Amino acid sequence: MRARRIRHQLFLSEDLSERLEALAAKPGASKSSILADALTAWLNRRGASALEDRFGRRLDRLSLALGRVERDGHVLLESLALFIRYELMINAPLPEGDKAARAVGRDRFNAFVARVGEALASGHRTFEYSADEPDEGEDES
């Protein structure tokens, strides 16, 4: 059974009408089928655009949130890498319960936090350094 069709009256510009006539003059083509195909394609594009409008903002927000999580992961990894490096290579063991040692520890912690900030600001990552490469305050000898 053939689908029910509804008649529509359209007004086209002269140029568009001539182009439609030229297409319809080809064998097996009709104005109705050409216009129906064109309208279907246009409506399908609109539907895709509506989906993009509907979900695009959500996807943008998710992308921003994922970027923040990734950035936070880099901060944590940088902090851990610097802590391990300071603990194993730079810091000498300090006696417990000594006020002077606590003051030195606070100074070292502040230097650690400052170094993490510098590394993140410069984009240079500690975990990318080789073990042979001297750090900024270390002697090469």
Side-chain angles (χ1 to χ4, degrees):
M1 179 175 202
R2 195 165 188 195
R4 183 170 169 239
R5 299 184 338 170
I6 300 172
R7 181 181 175 104
H8 292 272
Q9 183 175 351
L10 302 173
F11 295 98
L12 302 175
S13 68
E14 238 180 89
D15 179 47
L16 194 55
S17 180
E18 289 172 7
R19 291 172 64 189
L20 179 61
E21 290 287 341
L23 283 174
K26 294 180 181 175
S30 70
K31 292 179 189 177
S32 292
S33 66
I34 293 169
L35 290 174
D37 290 345
L39 184 58
T40 300
W42 185 81
L43 290 173
N44 287 342
R45 282 195 311 275
R46 286 283 291 194
S49 178
L51 283 176
E52 186 177 325
D53 291 344
R54 184 173 183 180
F55 294 111
R57 284 175 277 173
R58 284 184 186 168
L59 290 173
D60 289 344
R61 281 196 308 263
L62 286 172
S63 294
L64 289 173
L66 185 59
R68 286 191 298 269
V69 168
E70 184 178 8
R71 182 203 62 214
D72 292 348
H74 284 299
V75 169
L76 290 172
L77 186 57
E78 183 66 25
S79 298
L80 179 62
L82 278 169
F83 174 76
I84 291 169
R85 186 178 175 123
Y86 270 69
E87 191 63 31
L88 297 177
M89 295 175 65
I90 296 174
N91 287 341
L94 298 174
E96 292 187 30
D98 187 0
K99 288 184 180 183
R102 287 183 187 173
V104 169
R106 268 192 307 275
D107 291 344
R108 287 181 174 173
F109 178 75
N110 290 335
F112 166 76
V113 170
R115 180 66 182 105
V116 169
E118 290 169 9
L120 290 172
S122 72
H124 210 70
R125 302 286 185 244
T126 299
F127 57 87
E128 294 172 355
Y129 294 155
S130 73
D132 302 355
E133 185 179 343
D135 194 16
E136 291 170 12
E138 294 179 331
D139 284 338
E140 292 186 26
S141 56

